[in-house]
mmCIF file of all heavy atoms in Angstrom:
data_model
loop_
_atom_site.group_PDB
_atom_site.id
_atom_site.type_symbol
_atom_site.label_atom_id
_atom_site.label_comp_id
_atom_site.label_asym_id
_atom_site.label_seq_id
_atom_site.Cartn_x
_atom_site.Cartn_y
_atom_site.Cartn_z
ATOM 1 N N ASP A 33 5.538 -5.825 -17.268
ATOM 2 C CA ASP A 33 4.469 -4.887 -16.907
ATOM 3 C C ASP A 33 3.590 -4.676 -18.124
ATOM 4 O O ASP A 33 3.972 -4.025 -19.101
ATOM 5 C CB ASP A 33 5.092 -3.581 -16.444
ATOM 6 C CG ASP A 33 4.066 -2.615 -15.861
ATOM 7 O OD1 ASP A 33 2.860 -2.750 -16.186
ATOM 8 O OD2 ASP A 33 4.459 -1.710 -15.094
ATOM 9 N N VAL A 34 2.361 -5.195 -18.081
ATOM 10 C CA VAL A 34 1.410 -5.098 -19.179
ATOM 11 C C VAL A 34 0.205 -4.223 -18.792
ATOM 12 O O VAL A 34 -0.859 -4.301 -19.391
ATOM 13 C CB VAL A 34 0.954 -6.462 -19.666
ATOM 14 C CG1 VAL A 34 2.122 -7.264 -20.223
ATOM 15 C CG2 VAL A 34 0.293 -7.245 -18.523
ATOM 16 N N SER A 35 0.370 -3.389 -17.771
ATOM 17 C CA SER A 35 -0.742 -2.636 -17.205
ATOM 18 C C SER A 35 -1.450 -1.804 -18.270
ATOM 19 O O SER A 35 -2.681 -1.799 -18.362
ATOM 20 C CB SER A 35 -0.219 -1.714 -16.093
ATOM 21 O OG SER A 35 0.542 -2.411 -15.162
ATOM 22 N N SER A 36 -0.684 -1.058 -19.064
ATOM 23 C CA SER A 36 -1.275 -0.163 -20.035
ATOM 24 C C SER A 36 -1.997 -0.923 -21.137
ATOM 25 O O SER A 36 -3.167 -0.677 -21.418
ATOM 26 C CB SER A 36 -0.196 0.735 -20.629
ATOM 27 O OG SER A 36 -0.757 1.626 -21.569
ATOM 28 N N GLU A 37 -1.323 -1.872 -21.749
ATOM 29 C CA GLU A 37 -1.930 -2.604 -22.881
ATOM 30 C C GLU A 37 -3.077 -3.467 -22.420
ATOM 31 O O GLU A 37 -3.961 -3.784 -23.232
ATOM 32 C CB GLU A 37 -0.866 -3.445 -23.568
ATOM 33 C CG GLU A 37 -0.251 -4.529 -22.701
ATOM 34 C CD GLU A 37 1.042 -5.102 -23.280
ATOM 35 O OE1 GLU A 37 2.068 -4.384 -23.250
ATOM 36 O OE2 GLU A 37 1.002 -6.260 -23.732
ATOM 37 N N ALA A 38 -3.103 -3.870 -21.148
ATOM 38 C CA ALA A 38 -4.157 -4.722 -20.636
ATOM 39 C C ALA A 38 -5.391 -3.947 -20.226
ATOM 40 O O ALA A 38 -6.435 -4.538 -19.916
ATOM 41 C CB ALA A 38 -3.664 -5.559 -19.465
ATOM 42 N N GLY A 39 -5.313 -2.610 -20.149
ATOM 43 C CA GLY A 39 -6.452 -1.794 -19.756
ATOM 44 C C GLY A 39 -6.594 -1.596 -18.270
ATOM 45 O O GLY A 39 -7.654 -1.246 -17.773
ATOM 46 N N ILE A 40 -5.504 -1.809 -17.539
ATOM 47 C CA ILE A 40 -5.523 -1.687 -16.086
ATOM 48 C C ILE A 40 -5.283 -0.256 -15.611
ATOM 49 O O ILE A 40 -5.723 0.143 -14.548
ATOM 50 C CB ILE A 40 -4.497 -2.635 -15.456
ATOM 51 C CG1 ILE A 40 -4.849 -4.106 -15.736
ATOM 52 C CG2 ILE A 40 -4.321 -2.410 -13.969
ATOM 53 C CD1 ILE A 40 -6.180 -4.527 -15.156
ATOM 54 N N GLU A 41 -4.574 0.531 -16.387
ATOM 55 C CA GLU A 41 -4.243 1.908 -15.990
ATOM 56 C C GLU A 41 -5.437 2.813 -16.290
ATOM 57 O O GLU A 41 -5.650 3.213 -17.427
ATOM 58 C CB GLU A 41 -3.007 2.400 -16.720
ATOM 59 C CG GLU A 41 -1.718 1.731 -16.272
ATOM 60 C CD GLU A 41 -0.486 2.400 -16.895
ATOM 61 O OE1 GLU A 41 -0.654 3.311 -17.711
ATOM 62 O OE2 GLU A 41 0.619 1.949 -16.569
ATOM 63 N N ILE A 42 -6.175 3.135 -15.261
ATOM 64 C CA ILE A 42 -7.352 3.999 -15.412
ATOM 65 C C ILE A 42 -6.909 5.425 -15.093
ATOM 66 O O ILE A 42 -6.338 5.697 -14.043
ATOM 67 C CB ILE A 42 -8.494 3.570 -14.460
ATOM 68 C CG1 ILE A 42 -8.823 2.107 -14.693
ATOM 69 C CG2 ILE A 42 -9.721 4.463 -14.688
ATOM 70 C CD1 ILE A 42 -9.240 1.751 -16.087
ATOM 71 N N ARG A 43 -7.217 6.338 -16.059
ATOM 72 C CA ARG A 43 -6.827 7.721 -15.900
ATOM 73 C C ARG A 43 -8.044 8.648 -15.933
ATOM 74 O O ARG A 43 -9.081 8.279 -16.472
ATOM 75 C CB ARG A 43 -5.826 8.118 -17.007
ATOM 76 C CG ARG A 43 -4.501 7.359 -16.906
ATOM 77 C CD ARG A 43 -3.533 7.709 -18.009
ATOM 78 N NE ARG A 43 -2.280 6.982 -17.825
ATOM 79 C CZ ARG A 43 -1.237 7.453 -17.113
ATOM 80 N NH1 ARG A 43 -1.338 8.668 -16.530
ATOM 81 N NH2 ARG A 43 -0.167 6.742 -16.989
ATOM 82 N N THR A 44 -7.899 9.832 -15.352
ATOM 83 C CA THR A 44 -8.983 10.812 -15.367
ATOM 84 C C THR A 44 -9.181 11.297 -16.786
ATOM 85 O O THR A 44 -8.224 11.452 -17.537
ATOM 86 C CB THR A 44 -8.651 11.988 -14.443
ATOM 87 O OG1 THR A 44 -7.438 12.614 -14.887
ATOM 88 C CG2 THR A 44 -8.452 11.539 -12.992
ATOM 89 N N PRO A 45 -10.424 11.520 -17.168
ATOM 90 C CA PRO A 45 -10.690 11.885 -18.565
ATOM 91 C C PRO A 45 -10.203 13.278 -18.974
ATOM 92 O O PRO A 45 -9.982 13.517 -20.146
ATOM 93 C CB PRO A 45 -12.230 11.816 -18.657
ATOM 94 C CG PRO A 45 -12.717 11.955 -17.263
ATOM 95 C CD PRO A 45 -11.660 11.360 -16.388
ATOM 96 N N ASP A 46 -10.012 14.172 -17.987
ATOM 97 C CA ASP A 46 -9.613 15.528 -18.374
ATOM 98 C C ASP A 46 -8.093 15.700 -18.316
ATOM 99 O O ASP A 46 -7.441 16.027 -19.322
ATOM 100 C CB ASP A 46 -10.317 16.561 -17.488
ATOM 101 C CG ASP A 46 -10.207 16.259 -16.033
ATOM 102 O OD1 ASP A 46 -9.572 15.240 -15.664
ATOM 103 O OD2 ASP A 46 -10.737 17.058 -15.222
ATOM 104 N N LEU A 47 -7.488 15.414 -17.168
ATOM 105 C CA LEU A 47 -6.063 15.615 -17.017
ATOM 106 C C LEU A 47 -5.239 14.414 -17.446
ATOM 107 O O LEU A 47 -4.008 14.506 -17.552
ATOM 108 C CB LEU A 47 -5.728 15.995 -15.568
ATOM 109 C CG LEU A 47 -6.352 17.285 -15.051
ATOM 110 C CD1 LEU A 47 -5.944 17.500 -13.585
ATOM 111 C CD2 LEU A 47 -5.955 18.482 -15.912
ATOM 112 N N LYS A 48 -5.902 13.275 -17.644
ATOM 113 C CA LYS A 48 -5.221 12.074 -18.058
ATOM 114 C C LYS A 48 -4.148 11.627 -17.075
ATOM 115 O O LYS A 48 -3.111 11.132 -17.429
ATOM 116 C CB LYS A 48 -4.595 12.235 -19.449
ATOM 117 C CG LYS A 48 -5.558 12.718 -20.525
ATOM 118 C CD LYS A 48 -6.712 11.750 -20.739
ATOM 119 C CE LYS A 48 -7.669 12.233 -21.815
ATOM 120 N NZ LYS A 48 -8.870 11.363 -21.947
ATOM 121 N N VAL A 49 -4.448 11.808 -15.772
ATOM 122 C CA VAL A 49 -3.537 11.391 -14.730
ATOM 123 C C VAL A 49 -4.105 10.138 -14.070
ATOM 124 O O VAL A 49 -5.313 9.887 -14.133
ATOM 125 C CB VAL A 49 -3.278 12.495 -13.694
ATOM 126 C CG1 VAL A 49 -2.615 13.696 -14.347
ATOM 127 C CG2 VAL A 49 -4.606 12.920 -13.048
ATOM 128 N N PRO A 50 -3.266 9.339 -13.409
ATOM 129 C CA PRO A 50 -3.770 8.119 -12.756
ATOM 130 C C PRO A 50 -4.917 8.404 -11.786
ATOM 131 O O PRO A 50 -4.870 9.383 -11.009
ATOM 132 C CB PRO A 50 -2.535 7.560 -12.048
ATOM 133 C CG PRO A 50 -1.396 8.073 -12.840
ATOM 134 C CD PRO A 50 -1.799 9.424 -13.273
ATOM 135 N N MET A 51 -5.937 7.558 -11.835
ATOM 136 C CA MET A 51 -7.120 7.781 -11.053
ATOM 137 C C MET A 51 -7.209 6.901 -9.807
ATOM 138 O O MET A 51 -7.857 7.269 -8.804
ATOM 139 C CB MET A 51 -8.365 7.541 -11.907
ATOM 140 C CG MET A 51 -9.678 7.798 -11.236
ATOM 141 S SD MET A 51 -11.053 7.568 -12.409
ATOM 142 C CE MET A 51 -12.430 7.889 -11.331
ATOM 143 N N ALA A 52 -6.583 5.720 -9.830
ATOM 144 C CA ALA A 52 -6.774 4.753 -8.764
ATOM 145 C C ALA A 52 -6.234 5.260 -7.416
ATOM 146 O O ALA A 52 -5.232 5.963 -7.368
ATOM 147 C CB ALA A 52 -6.059 3.464 -9.124
ATOM 148 N N LYS A 53 -6.916 4.887 -6.369
ATOM 149 C CA LYS A 53 -6.463 5.046 -4.985
ATOM 150 C C LYS A 53 -6.837 3.742 -4.293
ATOM 151 O O LYS A 53 -7.711 3.691 -3.426
ATOM 152 C CB LYS A 53 -7.071 6.293 -4.326
ATOM 153 C CG LYS A 53 -6.638 7.580 -5.017
ATOM 154 C CD LYS A 53 -7.088 8.824 -4.308
ATOM 155 C CE LYS A 53 -6.537 10.066 -5.029
ATOM 156 N NZ LYS A 53 -6.928 11.330 -4.323
ATOM 157 N N SER A 54 -6.120 2.690 -4.689
ATOM 158 C CA SER A 54 -6.561 1.324 -4.409
ATOM 159 C C SER A 54 -5.938 0.762 -3.145
ATOM 160 O O SER A 54 -4.744 0.875 -2.905
ATOM 161 C CB SER A 54 -6.195 0.415 -5.605
ATOM 162 O OG SER A 54 -6.780 0.925 -6.793
ATOM 163 N N LEU A 55 -6.796 0.109 -2.358
ATOM 164 C CA LEU A 55 -6.372 -0.513 -1.090
ATOM 165 C C LEU A 55 -6.660 -1.993 -1.028
ATOM 166 O O LEU A 55 -6.044 -2.705 -0.219
ATOM 167 C CB LEU A 55 -7.017 0.190 0.082
ATOM 168 C CG LEU A 55 -6.551 1.616 0.350
ATOM 169 C CD1 LEU A 55 -7.376 2.262 1.464
ATOM 170 C CD2 LEU A 55 -5.055 1.610 0.754
ATOM 171 N N GLY A 56 -7.566 -2.502 -1.817
ATOM 172 C CA GLY A 56 -7.914 -3.927 -1.760
ATOM 173 C C GLY A 56 -8.223 -4.482 -3.114
ATOM 174 O O GLY A 56 -8.799 -3.806 -3.972
ATOM 175 N N VAL A 57 -7.891 -5.749 -3.338
ATOM 176 C CA VAL A 57 -8.217 -6.417 -4.605
ATOM 177 C C VAL A 57 -8.713 -7.814 -4.323
ATOM 178 O O VAL A 57 -8.202 -8.495 -3.395
ATOM 179 C CB VAL A 57 -6.967 -6.472 -5.540
ATOM 180 C CG1 VAL A 57 -5.771 -7.158 -4.873
ATOM 181 C CG2 VAL A 57 -7.308 -7.165 -6.846
ATOM 182 N N ALA A 58 -9.718 -8.259 -5.066
ATOM 183 C CA ALA A 58 -10.295 -9.582 -4.933
ATOM 184 C C ALA A 58 -10.516 -10.188 -6.283
ATOM 185 O O ALA A 58 -11.385 -9.728 -7.044
ATOM 186 C CB ALA A 58 -11.603 -9.528 -4.153
ATOM 187 N N PRO A 59 -9.737 -11.202 -6.679
ATOM 188 C CA PRO A 59 -9.970 -11.857 -7.981
ATOM 189 C C PRO A 59 -11.114 -12.833 -7.896
ATOM 190 O O PRO A 59 -11.390 -13.446 -6.869
ATOM 191 C CB PRO A 59 -8.634 -12.603 -8.198
ATOM 192 C CG PRO A 59 -8.027 -12.795 -6.862
ATOM 193 C CD PRO A 59 -8.548 -11.687 -5.989
ATOM 194 N N TYR A 60 -11.833 -12.991 -9.024
ATOM 195 C CA TYR A 60 -12.981 -13.921 -9.097
ATOM 196 C C TYR A 60 -13.466 -13.992 -10.514
ATOM 197 O O TYR A 60 -13.465 -12.973 -11.222
ATOM 198 C CB TYR A 60 -14.122 -13.457 -8.212
ATOM 199 C CG TYR A 60 -14.960 -14.602 -7.637
ATOM 200 C CD1 TYR A 60 -14.611 -15.176 -6.412
ATOM 201 C CD2 TYR A 60 -16.063 -15.087 -8.288
ATOM 202 C CE1 TYR A 60 -15.352 -16.208 -5.881
ATOM 203 C CE2 TYR A 60 -16.809 -16.114 -7.766
ATOM 204 C CZ TYR A 60 -16.461 -16.695 -6.563
ATOM 205 O OH TYR A 60 -17.199 -17.714 -6.026
ATOM 206 N N ASP A 61 -13.823 -15.159 -11.012
ATOM 207 C CA ASP A 61 -14.430 -15.305 -12.324
ATOM 208 C C ASP A 61 -15.933 -14.999 -12.141
ATOM 209 O O ASP A 61 -16.739 -15.882 -11.930
ATOM 210 C CB ASP A 61 -14.232 -16.710 -12.878
ATOM 211 C CG ASP A 61 -14.896 -16.933 -14.231
ATOM 212 O OD1 ASP A 61 -15.393 -15.934 -14.813
ATOM 213 O OD2 ASP A 61 -14.934 -18.078 -14.698
ATOM 214 N N VAL A 62 -16.271 -13.747 -12.275
ATOM 215 C CA VAL A 62 -17.621 -13.279 -11.904
ATOM 216 C C VAL A 62 -18.679 -13.803 -12.886
ATOM 217 O O VAL A 62 -19.752 -14.210 -12.463
ATOM 218 C CB VAL A 62 -17.653 -11.729 -11.869
ATOM 219 C CG1 VAL A 62 -19.055 -11.238 -11.549
ATOM 220 C CG2 VAL A 62 -16.661 -11.187 -10.857
ATOM 221 N N ASP A 63 -18.385 -13.793 -14.159
ATOM 222 C CA ASP A 63 -19.395 -14.164 -15.147
ATOM 223 C C ASP A 63 -19.292 -15.609 -15.637
ATOM 224 O O ASP A 63 -19.987 -15.999 -16.549
ATOM 225 C CB ASP A 63 -19.381 -13.213 -16.337
ATOM 226 C CG ASP A 63 -17.996 -13.137 -16.983
ATOM 227 O OD1 ASP A 63 -17.050 -13.658 -16.415
ATOM 228 O OD2 ASP A 63 -17.892 -12.550 -18.080
ATOM 229 N N GLY A 64 -18.410 -16.394 -14.998
ATOM 230 C CA GLY A 64 -18.331 -17.804 -15.301
ATOM 231 C C GLY A 64 -17.836 -18.154 -16.703
ATOM 232 O O GLY A 64 -18.126 -19.236 -17.205
ATOM 233 N N ASP A 65 -17.017 -17.279 -17.299
ATOM 234 C CA ASP A 65 -16.525 -17.549 -18.651
ATOM 235 C C ASP A 65 -15.141 -18.220 -18.632
ATOM 236 O O ASP A 65 -14.535 -18.395 -19.688
ATOM 237 C CB ASP A 65 -16.470 -16.264 -19.457
ATOM 238 C CG ASP A 65 -15.515 -15.203 -18.876
ATOM 239 O OD1 ASP A 65 -14.919 -15.459 -17.826
ATOM 240 O OD2 ASP A 65 -15.333 -14.142 -19.517
ATOM 241 N N GLY A 66 -14.675 -18.578 -17.440
ATOM 242 C CA GLY A 66 -13.380 -19.216 -17.356
ATOM 243 C C GLY A 66 -12.198 -18.315 -17.233
ATOM 244 O O GLY A 66 -11.042 -18.740 -17.153
ATOM 245 N N LEU A 67 -12.457 -17.013 -17.194
ATOM 246 C CA LEU A 67 -11.405 -16.010 -17.094
ATOM 247 C C LEU A 67 -11.564 -15.210 -15.823
ATOM 248 O O LEU A 67 -12.682 -14.797 -15.482
ATOM 249 C CB LEU A 67 -11.436 -15.040 -18.303
ATOM 250 C CG LEU A 67 -11.210 -15.683 -19.674
ATOM 251 C CD1 LEU A 67 -11.518 -14.690 -20.789
ATOM 252 C CD2 LEU A 67 -9.781 -16.191 -19.810
ATOM 253 N N VAL A 68 -10.498 -14.998 -15.078
ATOM 254 C CA VAL A 68 -10.564 -14.347 -13.766
ATOM 255 C C VAL A 68 -10.688 -12.833 -13.923
ATOM 256 O O VAL A 68 -9.882 -12.189 -14.611
ATOM 257 C CB VAL A 68 -9.311 -14.693 -12.939
ATOM 258 C CG1 VAL A 68 -9.384 -13.978 -11.573
ATOM 259 C CG2 VAL A 68 -9.209 -16.182 -12.740
ATOM 260 N N ASP A 69 -11.706 -12.287 -13.270
ATOM 261 C CA ASP A 69 -11.910 -10.843 -13.219
ATOM 262 C C ASP A 69 -11.344 -10.311 -11.896
ATOM 263 O O ASP A 69 -10.997 -11.080 -11.008
ATOM 264 C CB ASP A 69 -13.405 -10.543 -13.335
ATOM 265 C CG ASP A 69 -14.052 -11.289 -14.491
ATOM 266 O OD1 ASP A 69 -13.651 -11.035 -15.636
ATOM 267 O OD2 ASP A 69 -14.941 -12.140 -14.221
ATOM 268 N N LEU A 70 -11.290 -8.986 -11.760
ATOM 269 C CA LEU A 70 -10.677 -8.378 -10.587
ATOM 270 C C LEU A 70 -11.558 -7.223 -10.065
ATOM 271 O O LEU A 70 -11.875 -6.294 -10.807
ATOM 272 C CB LEU A 70 -9.306 -7.813 -10.932
ATOM 273 C CG LEU A 70 -8.238 -8.807 -11.359
ATOM 274 C CD1 LEU A 70 -7.148 -8.106 -12.149
ATOM 275 C CD2 LEU A 70 -7.633 -9.525 -10.179
ATOM 276 N N ALA A 71 -11.963 -7.298 -8.787
ATOM 277 C CA ALA A 71 -12.618 -6.193 -8.128
ATOM 278 C C ALA A 71 -11.602 -5.465 -7.275
ATOM 279 O O ALA A 71 -10.788 -6.078 -6.589
ATOM 280 C CB ALA A 71 -13.766 -6.701 -7.256
ATOM 281 N N VAL A 72 -11.642 -4.142 -7.356
ATOM 282 C CA VAL A 72 -10.658 -3.296 -6.649
ATOM 283 C C VAL A 72 -11.384 -2.273 -5.791
ATOM 284 O O VAL A 72 -12.233 -1.530 -6.296
ATOM 285 C CB VAL A 72 -9.713 -2.591 -7.646
ATOM 286 C CG1 VAL A 72 -8.721 -1.674 -6.918
ATOM 287 C CG2 VAL A 72 -8.948 -3.632 -8.488
ATOM 288 N N ALA A 73 -11.054 -2.228 -4.493
ATOM 289 C CA ALA A 73 -11.645 -1.257 -3.583
ATOM 290 C C ALA A 73 -10.761 0.002 -3.598
ATOM 291 O O ALA A 73 -9.566 -0.065 -3.315
ATOM 292 C CB ALA A 73 -11.701 -1.840 -2.185
ATOM 293 N N ASN A 74 -11.365 1.125 -3.909
ATOM 294 C CA ASN A 74 -10.683 2.424 -3.949
ATOM 295 C C ASN A 74 -11.100 3.299 -2.806
ATOM 296 O O ASN A 74 -12.241 3.226 -2.318
ATOM 297 C CB ASN A 74 -10.987 3.113 -5.305
ATOM 298 C CG ASN A 74 -10.143 2.558 -6.432
ATOM 299 O OD1 ASN A 74 -8.969 2.294 -6.270
ATOM 300 N ND2 ASN A 74 -10.746 2.379 -7.594
ATOM 301 N N ASP A 75 -10.186 4.174 -2.450
ATOM 302 C CA ASP A 75 -10.388 5.103 -1.333
ATOM 303 C C ASP A 75 -10.732 6.479 -1.867
ATOM 304 O O ASP A 75 -9.836 7.181 -2.381
ATOM 305 C CB ASP A 75 -9.128 5.142 -0.463
ATOM 306 C CG ASP A 75 -9.307 5.909 0.831
ATOM 307 O OD1 ASP A 75 -10.381 6.467 1.049
ATOM 308 O OD2 ASP A 75 -8.328 5.954 1.628
ATOM 309 N N THR A 76 -11.983 6.891 -1.772
ATOM 310 C CA THR A 76 -12.512 8.221 -2.189
ATOM 311 C C THR A 76 -12.654 8.368 -3.683
ATOM 312 O O THR A 76 -13.009 9.468 -4.143
ATOM 313 C CB THR A 76 -11.709 9.388 -1.609
ATOM 314 O OG1 THR A 76 -10.444 9.493 -2.254
ATOM 315 C CG2 THR A 76 -11.539 9.264 -0.103
ATOM 316 N N VAL A 77 -12.394 7.356 -4.460
ATOM 317 C CA VAL A 77 -12.728 7.355 -5.884
ATOM 318 C C VAL A 77 -13.501 6.084 -6.183
ATOM 319 O O VAL A 77 -13.471 5.123 -5.395
ATOM 320 C CB VAL A 77 -11.480 7.489 -6.792
ATOM 321 C CG1 VAL A 77 -10.741 8.778 -6.498
ATOM 322 C CG2 VAL A 77 -10.566 6.288 -6.643
ATOM 323 N N PRO A 78 -14.223 6.003 -7.307
ATOM 324 C CA PRO A 78 -15.046 4.821 -7.591
ATOM 325 C C PRO A 78 -14.254 3.521 -7.611
ATOM 326 O O PRO A 78 -13.119 3.480 -8.075
ATOM 327 C CB PRO A 78 -15.641 5.149 -8.966
ATOM 328 C CG PRO A 78 -15.634 6.646 -9.032
ATOM 329 C CD PRO A 78 -14.389 7.060 -8.330
ATOM 330 N N ASN A 79 -14.904 2.469 -7.084
ATOM 331 C CA ASN A 79 -14.289 1.144 -7.157
ATOM 332 C C ASN A 79 -14.223 0.651 -8.595
ATOM 333 O O ASN A 79 -14.986 1.098 -9.438
ATOM 334 C CB ASN A 79 -15.127 0.156 -6.320
ATOM 335 C CG ASN A 79 -15.262 0.552 -4.901
ATOM 336 O OD1 ASN A 79 -14.302 0.975 -4.260
ATOM 337 N ND2 ASN A 79 -16.465 0.451 -4.347
#
């Protein structure tokens, strides 16, 4: 589990609690640099 060190755990800036409410994920190399990026659909919080 490398979630924290990889920058995947997004927390609220004030309470520092988990922010995600994620229901969908779509991998894609969006910027063409050879590395796969991840788009995440969230429910009632920003994607």
Side-chain angles (χ1 to χ4, degrees):
D33 188 338
V34 295
S35 310
S36 180
E37 62 195 73
I40 295 298
E41 289 187 358
I42 306 301
R43 295 178 177 270
T44 59
D46 49 0
L47 298 180
K48 307 299 181 185
V49 296
M51 183 176 179
K53 296 187 177 182
S54 303
L55 289 174
V57 57
Y60 211 89
D61 178 9
V62 179
D63 56 349
D65 63 356
L67 298 170
V68 179
D69 312 298
L70 297 159
V72 177
N74 281 318
D75 188 358
T76 72
V77 300
N79 302 316

